[in-house]
Amino acid sequence: MRRVQNLQLEQFQNKWNSTVIIPKVSTDPYHSTCKFQPLSPEDVLEAASLLKSIAWSETPALPSPFSLNQTSDPARSTITVLPGREGGQWYVGDQLEVMIQIKDFLGHPKKSGGDLLLARLHNPKLDAGVVGQVVDHLNGSYSAVFLLPWEGQAQVQVTLAHSSEAITVLDRLTLEHYDRVHFKSNFFSGNITETTACNICLRHTEQPVCNYTDILTGEPWFCYKPKKLGCDTRINHRRVDYNMKILKATEEKLFQRGVNMKAFIPSSISITVLQKKKGEPQIKSSTVTSGPSGYYYNGVWQALGGSKVQQFTTASAISQCLKGKVIHMYGDSTVHQWYAYLVKVLPDLKEFNIPKPIIYPPFMALDYVNNIWVTCRHHGLPLSFTFIPTGELQYVANELDHVVGGANTVIAISMWAHFSAFPTEVYIWRMQSIRRAVVRLLTRAPGTVVVIRTGAPRAQSLSLALTNSDWYSLQKNKVLRAVFEGLNVHFVDAWEMVLAHRLPHNVHPKPPIVMNMMNVVLSYVCPQEAG
């Protein structure tokens, strides 16, 4: 099956003419409306390597005529604990491994992989949770490996987020319907107002096109030219709707919440974890080589490796950490949650209210007592907001190039949700652009603290799955980490912090999770001194 991840970058660039043109009108009916800045040879090789590294297990073609019978059914699937030490005892620090057998709706074991499974070990009474590492054996069976970080009971929970057949559909949609999120702009001059469709890529028509490609970053954006007005009369941007008429007959059956999408695999597995005995060897799985980034205990996130997560439980503790600092936040509404958190908990941090609709940035707050300045801006197009003035459409890389930086400057970035429906290449190129800006910033101001938030699981419905699937978010997360690997930046693992928590998945995590995220951020800003 042809997969987006396996497209050659050179072919992709040739298909989407790789030149940058200063915004102008094209009247050529054969004009390519997908123009990207030429990639350097290094970026081409990196992008190809990234696509190869995140390539998903081959998923089966859908049967014709389509039927659910041979597709993944979590209700009939099974989970089995693999043997640990003799006597069946488990100790803190051991790894618990379970085998998951996916079966179809007829109860037959599947023979291929490619399902998206989310695994979690938890204890509701202790408000504890940790994410399991899932390994696809490509034959219908999967391993999930859990670290045992706390003493007491631990229950296994495995969720089928998407069947392999659903991922076949999601993959096809990205390739064939990259423009399924619809955007428009208004154009205004005198008493004339016109509206046209816009996107990163526009399909070929006889209609002339306005090219709004950013001349500094090369980020592409196009609108069909209004019939009467010029390209320079564009006044705003908005998301209109989604194209939901893109599924083939009965494919919507693959996206039934609680049936074969975000549905639990039945399990009554619960083990008792004992305090480790001195000299007792740990049980380790040979299936995985990496572990979770942290876990919850008593509702508090504990990091595994790296900086210790401190608990900034009072406004005074947070103010003391941020005293004399500038915090610039860039991204989507998930980074705005961090901004809103600080405004809410810090009594002296006052928003500077610029008259405008509250739904779009920029936002700014000042604490004159502690000399704290916090700003929050969106990440530039594509944006699924409503009626953003064109003057506010700024790209993160350009914004970072205007930051002085230094030991008292904090940069927070979170951008993933608005890129879900677009080909992974688009996200790779945006992250490469931002990375170059981060490198420039850290070169001129090496003391700057840069914190990057990953994407996270979210609630799913049919419409959300087709544009903001957890599978799309997971792919973007892998790219994000790989692009910034080796740089002096810090990550907030929102994926695990949401998945490990007892609260339902939400694109905007609930306050307890946001508070834990902010404790991670503040621990990077004000690390605990040795000793």
Side-chain angles (χ1 to χ4, degrees), residues 298-335:
N298 288 331
V300 174
W301 182 256
Q302 310 284 346
L304 292 167
S307 300
K308 175 181 173 59
V309 179
Q310 304 170 66
Q311 302 306 303
F312 294 83
T313 56
T314 65
S316 61
I318 298 174
S319 296
Q320 186 61 36
C321 173
L322 298 180
K323 190 171 185 177
K325 289 183 170 54
V326 177
I327 303 96
H328 294 306
M329 301 183 181
Y330 305 99
D332 52 38
S333 54
T334 60
V335 83

mmCIF file of all heavy atoms in Angstrom, residues 298-335:
data_model
loop_
_atom_site.group_PDB
_atom_site.id
_atom_site.type_symbol
_atom_site.label_atom_id
_atom_site.label_comp_id
_atom_site.label_asym_id
_atom_site.label_seq_id
_atom_site.Cartn_x
_atom_site.Cartn_y
_atom_site.Cartn_z
ATOM 1 N N ASN A 298 -0.080 9.676 43.975
ATOM 2 C CA ASN A 298 -0.866 10.656 44.728
ATOM 3 C C ASN A 298 -1.183 11.882 43.878
ATOM 4 O O ASN A 298 -1.234 13.013 44.365
ATOM 5 C CB ASN A 298 -0.144 11.074 46.014
ATOM 6 C CG ASN A 298 -0.138 9.976 47.059
ATOM 7 O OD1 ASN A 298 -1.055 9.146 47.109
ATOM 8 N ND2 ASN A 298 0.897 9.940 47.880
ATOM 9 N N GLY A 299 -1.380 11.641 42.585
ATOM 10 C CA GLY A 299 -1.754 12.715 41.676
ATOM 11 C C GLY A 299 -0.622 13.632 41.281
ATOM 12 O O GLY A 299 -0.843 14.626 40.579
ATOM 13 N N VAL A 300 0.603 13.315 41.697
ATOM 14 C CA VAL A 300 1.761 14.168 41.435
ATOM 15 C C VAL A 300 2.679 13.470 40.429
ATOM 16 O O VAL A 300 3.009 12.291 40.593
ATOM 17 C CB VAL A 300 2.525 14.472 42.734
ATOM 18 C CG1 VAL A 300 3.816 15.229 42.437
ATOM 19 C CG2 VAL A 300 1.637 15.272 43.689
ATOM 20 N N TRP A 301 3.090 14.214 39.411
ATOM 21 C CA TRP A 301 3.964 13.657 38.380
ATOM 22 C C TRP A 301 5.398 13.571 38.883
ATOM 23 O O TRP A 301 5.968 14.552 39.352
ATOM 24 C CB TRP A 301 3.912 14.507 37.125
ATOM 25 C CG TRP A 301 4.749 13.984 35.981
ATOM 26 C CD1 TRP A 301 5.951 14.458 35.550
ATOM 27 C CD2 TRP A 301 4.436 12.884 35.115
ATOM 28 N NE1 TRP A 301 6.401 13.741 34.471
ATOM 29 C CE2 TRP A 301 5.489 12.755 34.185
ATOM 30 C CE3 TRP A 301 3.361 11.990 35.047
ATOM 31 C CZ2 TRP A 301 5.495 11.772 33.192
ATOM 32 C CZ3 TRP A 301 3.379 11.008 34.068
ATOM 33 C CH2 TRP A 301 4.427 10.903 33.155
ATOM 34 N N GLN A 302 5.961 12.372 38.782
ATOM 35 C CA GLN A 302 7.345 12.131 39.163
ATOM 36 C C GLN A 302 8.135 11.773 37.905
ATOM 37 O O GLN A 302 7.776 10.839 37.191
ATOM 38 C CB GLN A 302 7.430 10.953 40.160
ATOM 39 C CG GLN A 302 6.490 11.050 41.346
ATOM 40 C CD GLN A 302 6.977 12.042 42.378
ATOM 41 O OE1 GLN A 302 8.122 12.465 42.350
ATOM 42 N NE2 GLN A 302 6.105 12.406 43.308
ATOM 43 N N ALA A 303 9.192 12.524 37.641
ATOM 44 C CA ALA A 303 10.007 12.242 36.458
ATOM 45 C C ALA A 303 10.924 11.057 36.708
ATOM 46 O O ALA A 303 11.380 10.831 37.834
ATOM 47 C CB ALA A 303 10.830 13.469 36.088
ATOM 48 N N LEU A 304 11.169 10.307 35.657
ATOM 49 C CA LEU A 304 12.118 9.197 35.718
ATOM 50 C C LEU A 304 13.326 9.574 34.869
ATOM 51 O O LEU A 304 13.279 9.529 33.648
ATOM 52 C CB LEU A 304 11.471 7.907 35.199
ATOM 53 C CG LEU A 304 10.354 7.338 36.072
ATOM 54 C CD1 LEU A 304 9.578 6.263 35.317
ATOM 55 C CD2 LEU A 304 10.928 6.767 37.361
ATOM 56 N N GLY A 305 14.379 9.982 35.518
ATOM 57 C CA GLY A 305 15.551 10.473 34.799
ATOM 58 C C GLY A 305 15.416 11.953 34.538
ATOM 59 O O GLY A 305 14.331 12.525 34.504
ATOM 60 N N GLY A 306 16.539 12.627 34.388
ATOM 61 C CA GLY A 306 16.512 14.064 34.145
ATOM 62 C C GLY A 306 16.276 14.840 35.425
ATOM 63 O O GLY A 306 16.494 14.357 36.538
ATOM 64 N N SER A 307 15.774 16.056 35.275
ATOM 65 C CA SER A 307 15.583 16.945 36.419
ATOM 66 C C SER A 307 14.463 16.453 37.328
ATOM 67 O O SER A 307 13.446 15.934 36.852
ATOM 68 C CB SER A 307 15.258 18.369 35.933
ATOM 69 O OG SER A 307 16.295 18.882 35.136
ATOM 70 N N LYS A 308 14.646 16.620 38.615
ATOM 71 C CA LYS A 308 13.605 16.289 39.581
ATOM 72 C C LYS A 308 12.478 17.304 39.439
ATOM 73 O O LYS A 308 12.703 18.503 39.310
ATOM 74 C CB LYS A 308 14.170 16.320 40.999
ATOM 75 C CG LYS A 308 13.127 16.097 42.096
ATOM 76 C CD LYS A 308 13.760 16.161 43.465
ATOM 77 C CE LYS A 308 12.718 16.119 44.574
ATOM 78 N NZ LYS A 308 11.910 14.890 44.504
ATOM 79 N N VAL A 309 11.244 16.807 39.449
ATOM 80 C CA VAL A 309 10.092 17.693 39.356
ATOM 81 C C VAL A 309 9.766 18.219 40.752
ATOM 82 O O VAL A 309 9.402 17.462 41.650
ATOM 83 C CB VAL A 309 8.867 16.983 38.764
ATOM 84 C CG1 VAL A 309 7.673 17.939 38.708
ATOM 85 C CG2 VAL A 309 9.180 16.445 37.372
ATOM 86 N N GLN A 310 9.911 19.514 40.918
ATOM 87 C CA GLN A 310 9.575 20.150 42.184
ATOM 88 C C GLN A 310 8.101 20.527 42.194
ATOM 89 O O GLN A 310 7.466 20.645 41.152
ATOM 90 C CB GLN A 310 10.431 21.397 42.369
ATOM 91 C CG GLN A 310 11.932 21.140 42.298
ATOM 92 C CD GLN A 310 12.700 22.437 42.243
ATOM 93 O OE1 GLN A 310 12.705 23.223 43.180
ATOM 94 N NE2 GLN A 310 13.366 22.691 41.108
ATOM 95 N N GLN A 311 7.572 20.737 43.387
ATOM 96 C CA GLN A 311 6.167 21.089 43.539
ATOM 97 C C GLN A 311 6.052 22.571 43.892
ATOM 98 O O GLN A 311 6.372 22.982 45.004
ATOM 99 C CB GLN A 311 5.514 20.208 44.611
ATOM 100 C CG GLN A 311 5.597 18.717 44.326
ATOM 101 C CD GLN A 311 5.045 18.370 42.953
ATOM 102 O OE1 GLN A 311 3.891 18.662 42.638
ATOM 103 N NE2 GLN A 311 5.872 17.741 42.122
ATOM 104 N N PHE A 312 5.615 23.336 42.916
ATOM 105 C CA PHE A 312 5.418 24.767 43.117
ATOM 106 C C PHE A 312 3.955 24.974 43.510
ATOM 107 O O PHE A 312 3.099 25.274 42.680
ATOM 108 C CB PHE A 312 5.776 25.532 41.842
ATOM 109 C CG PHE A 312 7.238 25.455 41.488
ATOM 110 C CD1 PHE A 312 7.749 24.361 40.801
ATOM 111 C CD2 PHE A 312 8.101 26.474 41.861
ATOM 112 C CE1 PHE A 312 9.092 24.283 40.478
ATOM 113 C CE2 PHE A 312 9.456 26.407 41.540
ATOM 114 C CZ PHE A 312 9.955 25.302 40.854
ATOM 115 N N THR A 313 3.677 24.790 44.779
ATOM 116 C CA THR A 313 2.303 24.709 45.266
ATOM 117 C C THR A 313 1.727 26.054 45.689
ATOM 118 O O THR A 313 0.530 26.144 45.962
ATOM 119 C CB THR A 313 2.208 23.728 46.445
ATOM 120 O OG1 THR A 313 3.132 24.143 47.466
ATOM 121 C CG2 THR A 313 2.564 22.321 46.002
ATOM 122 N N THR A 314 2.546 27.079 45.757
ATOM 123 C CA THR A 314 2.052 28.387 46.189
ATOM 124 C C THR A 314 2.403 29.450 45.155
ATOM 125 O O THR A 314 3.365 29.305 44.383
ATOM 126 C CB THR A 314 2.657 28.797 47.546
ATOM 127 O OG1 THR A 314 4.074 28.979 47.395
ATOM 128 C CG2 THR A 314 2.379 27.735 48.602
ATOM 129 N N ALA A 315 1.634 30.522 45.182
ATOM 130 C CA ALA A 315 1.904 31.627 44.272
ATOM 131 C C ALA A 315 3.272 32.236 44.544
ATOM 132 O O ALA A 315 3.987 32.634 43.616
ATOM 133 C CB ALA A 315 0.811 32.687 44.404
ATOM 134 N N SER A 316 3.650 32.292 45.815
ATOM 135 C CA SER A 316 4.945 32.888 46.160
ATOM 136 C C SER A 316 6.099 32.060 45.609
ATOM 137 O O SER A 316 7.114 32.607 45.160
ATOM 138 C CB SER A 316 5.073 33.040 47.676
ATOM 139 O OG SER A 316 4.993 31.771 48.319
ATOM 140 N N ALA A 317 5.950 30.719 45.624
ATOM 141 C CA ALA A 317 7.008 29.852 45.089
ATOM 142 C C ALA A 317 7.157 30.052 43.582
ATOM 143 O O ALA A 317 8.272 30.098 43.053
ATOM 144 C CB ALA A 317 6.701 28.391 45.409
ATOM 145 N N ILE A 318 6.022 30.181 42.880
ATOM 146 C CA ILE A 318 6.068 30.394 41.443
ATOM 147 C C ILE A 318 6.651 31.773 41.136
ATOM 148 O O ILE A 318 7.507 31.925 40.242
ATOM 149 C CB ILE A 318 4.660 30.245 40.839
ATOM 150 C CG1 ILE A 318 4.140 28.823 41.057
ATOM 151 C CG2 ILE A 318 4.679 30.579 39.346
ATOM 152 C CD1 ILE A 318 2.701 28.618 40.633
ATOM 153 N N SER A 319 6.199 32.779 41.870
ATOM 154 C CA SER A 319 6.707 34.144 41.645
ATOM 155 C C SER A 319 8.198 34.232 41.895
ATOM 156 O O SER A 319 8.935 34.910 41.160
ATOM 157 C CB SER A 319 5.966 35.137 42.547
ATOM 158 O OG SER A 319 4.600 35.197 42.213
ATOM 159 N N GLN A 320 8.667 33.535 42.929
ATOM 160 C CA GLN A 320 10.087 33.559 43.242
ATOM 161 C C GLN A 320 10.900 32.926 42.114
ATOM 162 O O GLN A 320 11.976 33.412 41.752
ATOM 163 C CB GLN A 320 10.352 32.815 44.553
ATOM 164 C CG GLN A 320 11.782 32.898 45.050
ATOM 165 C CD GLN A 320 12.232 34.327 45.338
ATOM 166 O OE1 GLN A 320 11.433 35.150 45.803
ATOM 167 N NE2 GLN A 320 13.500 34.626 45.082
ATOM 168 N N CYS A 321 10.359 31.850 41.534
ATOM 169 C CA CYS A 321 11.046 31.183 40.424
ATOM 170 C C CYS A 321 11.104 32.086 39.186
ATOM 171 O O CYS A 321 12.131 32.155 38.506
ATOM 172 C CB CYS A 321 10.338 29.873 40.086
ATOM 173 S SG CYS A 321 10.955 29.028 38.608
ATOM 174 N N LEU A 322 10.011 32.781 38.914
ATOM 175 C CA LEU A 322 9.916 33.576 37.686
ATOM 176 C C LEU A 322 10.338 35.023 37.870
ATOM 177 O O LEU A 322 10.292 35.804 36.909
ATOM 178 C CB LEU A 322 8.478 33.527 37.150
ATOM 179 C CG LEU A 322 7.943 32.141 36.743
ATOM 180 C CD1 LEU A 322 6.522 32.252 36.224
ATOM 181 C CD2 LEU A 322 8.844 31.490 35.696
ATOM 182 N N LYS A 323 10.742 35.388 39.044
ATOM 183 C CA LYS A 323 11.086 36.781 39.327
ATOM 184 C C LYS A 323 12.171 37.283 38.374
ATOM 185 O O LYS A 323 13.209 36.655 38.188
ATOM 186 C CB LYS A 323 11.566 36.915 40.771
ATOM 187 C CG LYS A 323 11.714 38.361 41.243
ATOM 188 C CD LYS A 323 11.977 38.411 42.743
ATOM 189 C CE LYS A 323 12.009 39.859 43.230
ATOM 190 N NZ LYS A 323 12.188 39.935 44.712
ATOM 191 N N GLY A 324 11.903 38.424 37.740
ATOM 192 C CA GLY A 324 12.868 39.031 36.827
ATOM 193 C C GLY A 324 12.959 38.355 35.482
ATOM 194 O O GLY A 324 13.902 38.619 34.722
ATOM 195 N N LYS A 325 11.989 37.517 35.144
ATOM 196 C CA LYS A 325 12.081 36.735 33.905
ATOM 197 C C LYS A 325 11.040 37.166 32.882
ATOM 198 O O LYS A 325 9.967 37.684 33.208
ATOM 199 C CB LYS A 325 11.941 35.242 34.207
ATOM 200 C CG LYS A 325 13.160 34.669 34.919
ATOM 201 C CD LYS A 325 13.030 33.182 35.149
ATOM 202 C CE LYS A 325 14.345 32.579 35.633
ATOM 203 N NZ LYS A 325 14.903 33.221 36.813
ATOM 204 N N VAL A 326 11.390 36.888 31.629
ATOM 205 C CA VAL A 326 10.491 37.075 30.489
ATOM 206 C C VAL A 326 10.125 35.692 29.975
ATOM 207 O O VAL A 326 11.008 34.871 29.712
ATOM 208 C CB VAL A 326 11.172 37.889 29.376
ATOM 209 C CG1 VAL A 326 10.255 38.006 28.170
ATOM 210 C CG2 VAL A 326 11.574 39.262 29.883
ATOM 211 N N ILE A 327 8.833 35.434 29.838
ATOM 212 C CA ILE A 327 8.367 34.125 29.356
ATOM 213 C C ILE A 327 7.577 34.349 28.082
ATOM 214 O O ILE A 327 6.509 34.985 28.102
ATOM 215 C CB ILE A 327 7.487 33.406 30.403
ATOM 216 C CG1 ILE A 327 8.251 33.232 31.719
ATOM 217 C CG2 ILE A 327 7.039 32.052 29.883
ATOM 218 C CD1 ILE A 327 7.964 34.310 32.743
ATOM 219 N N HIS A 328 8.103 33.854 26.965
ATOM 220 C CA HIS A 328 7.412 33.960 25.680
ATOM 221 C C HIS A 328 6.865 32.584 25.316
ATOM 222 O O HIS A 328 7.631 31.609 25.225
ATOM 223 C CB HIS A 328 8.366 34.440 24.585
ATOM 224 C CG HIS A 328 8.858 35.838 24.779
ATOM 225 N ND1 HIS A 328 8.011 36.910 24.947
ATOM 226 C CD2 HIS A 328 10.122 36.342 24.832
ATOM 227 C CE1 HIS A 328 8.722 38.023 25.098
ATOM 228 N NE2 HIS A 328 10.007 37.703 25.033
ATOM 229 N N MET A 329 5.547 32.502 25.093
ATOM 230 C CA MET A 329 4.903 31.246 24.727
ATOM 231 C C MET A 329 4.391 31.335 23.298
ATOM 232 O O MET A 329 3.780 32.334 22.908
ATOM 233 C CB MET A 329 3.747 30.942 25.679
ATOM 234 C CG MET A 329 4.164 30.823 27.141
ATOM 235 S SD MET A 329 2.754 30.362 28.194
ATOM 236 C CE MET A 329 3.556 30.343 29.815
ATOM 237 N N TYR A 330 4.634 30.266 22.536
ATOM 238 C CA TYR A 330 4.227 30.224 21.137
ATOM 239 C C TYR A 330 3.532 28.898 20.853
ATOM 240 O O TYR A 330 3.974 27.842 21.316
ATOM 241 C CB TYR A 330 5.438 30.345 20.207
ATOM 242 C CG TYR A 330 6.294 31.561 20.452
ATOM 243 C CD1 TYR A 330 7.463 31.469 21.208
ATOM 244 C CD2 TYR A 330 5.952 32.803 19.928
ATOM 245 C CE1 TYR A 330 8.263 32.580 21.431
ATOM 246 C CE2 TYR A 330 6.745 33.928 20.143
ATOM 247 C CZ TYR A 330 7.900 33.799 20.902
ATOM 248 O OH TYR A 330 8.689 34.900 21.124
ATOM 249 N N GLY A 331 2.463 28.951 20.067
ATOM 250 C CA GLY A 331 1.851 27.692 19.667
ATOM 251 C C GLY A 331 0.349 27.773 19.552
ATOM 252 O O GLY A 331 -0.222 28.782 19.130
ATOM 253 N N ASP A 332 -0.296 26.691 19.966
ATOM 254 C CA ASP A 332 -1.746 26.588 19.857
ATOM 255 C C ASP A 332 -2.393 26.826 21.220
ATOM 256 O O ASP A 332 -1.750 27.315 22.156
ATOM 257 C CB ASP A 332 -2.132 25.220 19.270
ATOM 258 C CG ASP A 332 -1.493 24.057 20.029
ATOM 259 O OD1 ASP A 332 -1.390 24.138 21.272
ATOM 260 O OD2 ASP A 332 -1.095 23.065 19.385
ATOM 261 N N SER A 333 -3.663 26.459 21.342
ATOM 262 C CA SER A 333 -4.397 26.732 22.580
ATOM 263 C C SER A 333 -3.889 25.917 23.756
ATOM 264 O O SER A 333 -4.197 26.244 24.914
ATOM 265 C CB SER A 333 -5.891 26.462 22.374
ATOM 266 O OG SER A 333 -6.108 25.147 21.884
ATOM 267 N N THR A 334 -3.105 24.863 23.498
ATOM 268 C CA THR A 334 -2.587 24.076 24.613
ATOM 269 C C THR A 334 -1.468 24.810 25.344
ATOM 270 O O THR A 334 -1.271 24.603 26.544
ATOM 271 C CB THR A 334 -2.093 22.698 24.140
ATOM 272 O OG1 THR A 334 -1.052 22.854 23.172
ATOM 273 C CG2 THR A 334 -3.236 21.905 23.527
ATOM 274 N N VAL A 335 -0.725 25.664 24.657
ATOM 275 C CA VAL A 335 0.268 26.474 25.357
ATOM 276 C C VAL A 335 -0.410 27.670 26.031
ATOM 277 O O VAL A 335 0.051 28.177 27.061
ATOM 278 C CB VAL A 335 1.404 26.932 24.421
ATOM 279 C CG1 VAL A 335 1.030 28.176 23.618
ATOM 280 C CG2 VAL A 335 2.681 27.208 25.209
#
